[in-house]
Amino acid sequence: MLDRHEEFRSRRDRLLSAIGTGVAVFRSAPVVRMHADVHYPYRQDSDFYYVTGFNEPEAVAILAPQHPEHQFVLFVQPKDRHAEMWSGRRLGVEAAIGALAADAVYPIDELDQHLAAYLKTGDRIFYRLGNDPAFEQRLL
């Protein structure tokens, strides 16, 4: 039986093979506010979790099989002790590389700096449209 990390790696490998010369982009589920400053319990987007095994909001995963160094890239929230008092612990950039077996991990604030370079490695983009119009504009 595969351990947790091997299971997610196996899923990514199958997807990397299936997308061929394309690039797949996955966005984590947003935090949903119940009212005022109370949020519903967080539930990750199923597709995002299936590929990454990561259960935190404000993250993006990129699978780029044609990139020479980074086939699995994550953009995550950095560690922030103050924010973590309210929203719970975060894995952070440094820990995510080992914990999630990513080839590269960046702070989510650097997504716009790196996104185009990863998208250019493919001849098409795989992304589920219709869930986040603001992010779709950034992507396109």
Side-chain angles (χ1 to χ4, degrees):
M1 176 157 195
L2 294 176
D3 72 6
R4 181 178 187 276
H5 296 293
E6 286 302 314
E7 178 64 31
F8 291 110
R9 186 185 315 253
S10 174
R11 291 173 183 177
R12 284 191 299 275
D13 288 346
R14 286 192 309 268
L15 186 54
L16 283 163
S17 178
I19 63 176
T21 57
V23 175
V25 179
F26 297 88
R27 179 107 165 108
S28 65
V31 173
V32 180
R33 182 172 289 163
M34 187 181 308
H35 55 78
D37 60 351
V38 177
H39 297 98
Y40 284 103
Y42 186 70
R43 184 188 183 287
Q44 185 60 275
D45 176 82
S46 296
D47 293 338
F48 184 88
Y49 187 79
Y50 182 85
V51 171
T52 67
F54 190 53
N55 198 30
E56 293 181 20
E58 295 183 48
V60 172
I62 298 175
L63 296 180
Q66 302 302 311
H67 192 277
E69 298 175 64
H70 306 146
Q71 285 81 43
F72 172 42
V73 182
L74 282 170
F75 293 85
V76 302
Q77 295 181 80
K79 296 290 286 177
D80 180 337
R81 294 182 81 133
H82 179 71
E84 290 178 55
M85 287 190 316
W86 299 102
S87 62
R89 292 182 58 186
R90 296 179 185 172
L91 190 57
V93 175
E94 293 80 19
I97 290 176
L100 302 170
D103 297 320
V105 180
Y106 302 99
I108 191 67
D109 293 343
E110 294 181 14
L111 178 65
D112 291 337
Q113 290 175 241
H114 299 281
L115 183 60
Y118 287 107
L119 295 179
K120 287 179 184 178
T121 66
D123 59 2
R124 61 191 167 273
I125 300 170
F126 295 91
Y127 178 76
R128 184 178 54 191
L129 296 171
N131 289 331
D132 187 346
F135 182 74
E136 291 165 17
Q137 287 302 312
R138 289 170 70 188
L139 185 62
L140 298 175

